[in-house]
Amino acid sequence: SIVQFRFPPENHKRVPVQPISVVTFKPQYTASEPLTVAPDSVTVYGEPVQLDRIDRVLTNTISLQNLSSSTHGVVKLETPVGVRISDKDVSYSLEVTRYVEVKASVNVSVSNVPSGKELLVYPSVVDVVFKCVFPLGFDPSEGVRFYVDYHDFINSINGRCVPKVKGLSSSVISYSIEPQVVECIEK
């Protein structure tokens, strides 16, 4: 008698690894860049029908509490049901830095306004809180320009726009503005 084996067709594809994390920091510390994983993608092997529904592979939850320095480690991957993956775990890395907050009031200007048109912005001054790498050796509001682009105004439904920023120092980790949205009126 002849023994026959039938194997379903197996394909493969590369998908990104999405880190799942819960992170808290000591006061005045924050991530200087997003958490990264290496490798950042894996090969998934399986039947075509199963591969079609997989667009990424998740890590187990990376739980990091009360951080005040950069950290790294290894985390297991969650293998989707019915497939194999090229790696069982990935390395993760999170750069942490101490920061200082600097508050400033800055003017909101306009750009790309066609000649013959005028765009007014209300309020024309917004309050900004810059989160900067510690120690701070400069004024983060120096050389920074917050502005509304005329094209954003034209594409807005109601004339409300989020100011853009130019000239931000690389030592600025993040910033928040208040109000977050300004009213624009064309004259």
Side-chain angles (χ1 to χ4, degrees), residues 108-113 118-121 145-150 184:
V108 179
S109 60
V110 294
S111 70
N112 297 321
V113 180
E118 190 179 352
L119 189 63
L120 303 176
V121 178
R145 180 171 166 242
F146 285 85
Y147 66 98
V148 171
D149 190 300
Y150 186 77
C184 301

Side-chain angles (χ1 to χ4, degrees), residues 90-144:
V90 293
S91 300
Y92 66 84
S93 177
L94 183 64
E95 297 300 315
V96 175
T97 187
R98 189 165 176 200
Y99 72 88
V100 60
E101 286 186 346
V102 178
K103 294 176 171 62
S105 291
V106 298
N107 292 319
V108 179
S109 60
V110 294
S111 70
N112 297 321
V113 180
S115 62
K117 305 235 182 221
E118 190 179 352
L119 189 63
L120 303 176
V121 178
Y122 298 102
S124 60
V125 175
V126 293
D127 293 321
V128 182
V129 177
F130 296 96
K131 244 184 214 182
C132 304
V133 173
F134 179 86
L136 186 65
F138 67 99
D139 176 355
S141 66
E142 279 296 311
V144 172

